[in-house]
């Protein structure tokens, strides 16, 4: 029977060079890697094997072949691996990432613990909002709630998960946000303007919740000569670092008054001789076309981003105006609408001088 390897039409397969024993390394007396004699080039070995054998792949087998000899070897992994780092280590964020870590504390200053919050209230420190653990009943919680109610500070009872998300510190069931500004009493502002012979120009914001909208409105108001901004104690945007940045520093100059009830505020302003002008799309007359005198004491009332001015507050306004629009959207951002209304007031005041 003919041997298949003896067929003349079948080319001979190239003989692979000899290789070191798989998974074995050889060292001399000085602990230096050496190549065994049978694998040296002068003894018939391959020129690619003039280095010690190295285990590759599963089981220590050598996966190199004649076509992959020029490939660079993979760097060996270290036994102790560092924690996974975000950003891939390419010059970006190189912080270790840990699972289930609580969120970072907010950029605004916070107070923790029942006793420090109560002492801050007693000292007259301006707090933006207070979060208390739901279900906590003791004398400190009662004192905090009473003092916050008298100061017009919002107190909210929340579960422990909410407090844990606000801070990783030992909050003891109480967290308070410290306001970066000091609120001014509205009655002092109004009386002071009349005593100085100035014509009051105020801005009332009903439930503006976006901090950037609030900051942008404050910037426009300060530029157009508004004397003070009035916000409700509940449902208003929290004045934090974002609001201060968006206002370009206007919130450090323009007084902000925080009132418990805007309904009582509107009545107080009307009794003081100030005309309350509401900007609403439900009005019949448009700003600029109506015969409204803005050169006297005036307070502009703007509504929230979602549903505008509340109906019961809108009914108290002396004048209702809308911004004329001819586009298809028929809706403006509250910051833009406030800018249009405040500009009309400022324009008439400049013309009257």
């Amino acid at each position: 029977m003919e041997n298949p390897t003896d067929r003349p039409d079948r080319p001979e397969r190239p003989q692979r060079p000899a290789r070191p024993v798989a998974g074995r390394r050889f060292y001399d007396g000085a602990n230096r890697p050496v190549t065994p004699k049978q694998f040296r080039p002068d003894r018939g070995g391959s020129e690619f094997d003039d280095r010690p054998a190295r285990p590759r792949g599963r089981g220590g087998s050598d996966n190199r072949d004649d076509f992959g000899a020029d490939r660079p070897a993979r760097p060996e992994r270290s036994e102790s691996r560092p924690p996974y780092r975000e950003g891939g280590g390419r010059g970006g964020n190189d912080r270790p990432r840990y699972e289930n870590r609580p969120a970072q504390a907010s950029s605004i200053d916070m107070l923790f613990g029942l006793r420090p919050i109560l002492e801050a209230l007693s000292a007259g420190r301006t707090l933006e909002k207070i979060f208390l653990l739901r279900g906590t009943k003791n004398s400190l919680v009662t004192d905090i709630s009473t003092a916050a109610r008298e100061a017009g500070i919002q107190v909210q009872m929340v579960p422990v998960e909410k407090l844990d998300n606000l801070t990783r510190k030992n909050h003891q069931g109480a967290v308070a946000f410290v306001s970066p500004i000091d609120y001014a009493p509205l009655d002092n502002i109004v009386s002071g303007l009349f005593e100085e012979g100035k014509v009051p120009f105020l801005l009332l914001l009903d439930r503006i919740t976006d901090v950037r909208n609030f900051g942008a409105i404050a910037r426009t108001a300060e530029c157009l000569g508004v004397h003070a901004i009035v916000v409700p104690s509940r449902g208003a945007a929290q004045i934090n670092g974002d609001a201060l940045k968006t206002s370009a520093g206007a919130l450090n100059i323009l007084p902000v008054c925080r009132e418990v009830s805007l309904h009582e505020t509107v009545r107080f302003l009307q009794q003081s001789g100030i005309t309350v002008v509401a900007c609403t799309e439900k009005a019949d007359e448009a700003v600029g076309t109506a015969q409204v005198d803005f050169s006297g004491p005036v307070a502009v009332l703007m509504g929230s981003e979602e549903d505008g001015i509340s109906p019961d507050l809108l009914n108290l306004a002396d004048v209702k105006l809308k911004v004329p629009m001819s586009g298809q959207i028929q809706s403006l951002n509250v910051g833009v609408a406030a800018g249009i209304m405040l500009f009309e007031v400022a324009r008439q005041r400049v013309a009257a001088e």
Side-chain angles (χ1 to χ4, degrees), residues 297-351:
V298 64
V300 176
L301 175 61
M302 304 299 302
S304 69
E305 298 92 341
E306 296 181 2
D307 53 359
I309 304 173
S310 57
D312 50 351
L313 191 61
L314 184 61
N315 294 331
L316 297 177
D318 299 311
V319 180
K320 303 179 184 63
L321 297 176
K322 65 180 180 180
V323 177
M325 292 179 287
S326 57
Q328 298 181 8
I329 298 178
Q330 297 293 318
S331 177
L332 286 175
N333 175 269
V334 63
V336 177
I340 295 174
M341 288 294 301
L342 297 179
F343 171 77
E344 178 63 21
V345 177
R347 185 189 66 81
Q348 289 194 18
R349 289 178 172 240
V350 172

Side-chain angles (χ1 to χ4, degrees), residues 2-179:
E2 185 181 8
N3 190 349
T5 58
D6 297 335
R7 294 177 182 176
D9 57 343
R10 185 183 182 93
E12 271 189 335
R13 295 181 179 178
Q15 297 293 331
R16 293 188 178 183
R19 300 191 181 154
V21 179
R24 294 282 306 276
R25 295 192 184 193
F26 301 91
Y27 301 89
D28 59 8
N31 201 24
R32 293 175 299 183
V34 297
T35 303
K37 295 180 180 180
Q38 64 269 29
F39 301 115
R40 293 179 182 175
D42 57 351
R43 296 298 181 92
S46 172
E47 60 179 347
F48 299 109
D49 291 329
D50 193 15
R51 56 179 181 264
R54 180 174 62 180
R56 307 265 308 186
R58 291 177 60 90
S61 62
D62 193 347
N63 295 329
R64 292 178 298 165
D65 51 21
D66 295 342
F67 302 99
D70 295 332
R71 297 175 184 173
R74 296 180 180 177
E76 296 184 6
R77 293 182 179 179
S78 174
E79 295 182 359
S80 59
R81 301 179 62 182
Y84 174 78
R85 296 182 179 273
E86 296 178 350
R90 296 183 179 179
N93 188 5
D94 199 32
R95 297 175 301 172
R97 185 183 70 181
Y98 300 95
E99 301 295 335
N100 301 323
R101 169 171 286 190
Q104 293 285 344
S106 176
S107 59
I108 192 172
D109 293 335
M110 290 188 288
L111 293 177
F112 317 100
L114 296 172
R115 181 66 65 180
I117 294 176
L118 181 59
E119 293 177 356
L121 290 172
S122 302
R125 192 170 183 183
T126 305
L127 301 182
E128 190 72 22
K129 186 181 296 185
I130 301 175
F131 294 97
L132 298 177
L133 181 60
R134 184 180 299 165
T136 305
K137 296 181 180 180
N138 53 47
S139 59
L140 291 178
V141 172
T142 303
D143 294 341
I144 290 176
S145 301
T146 303
R149 190 183 307 109
E150 294 175 354
I153 301 173
Q154 181 180 356
V155 178
Q156 188 173 353
M157 308 302 293
V158 297
V160 67
E161 291 80 9
K162 173 68 175 179
L163 299 177
D164 292 338
N165 289 333
L166 292 176
T167 179
R168 292 174 292 177
K169 298 182 179 180
N170 184 17
H171 49 73
Q172 299 178 348
V175 175
F177 289 95
V178 181
S179 176

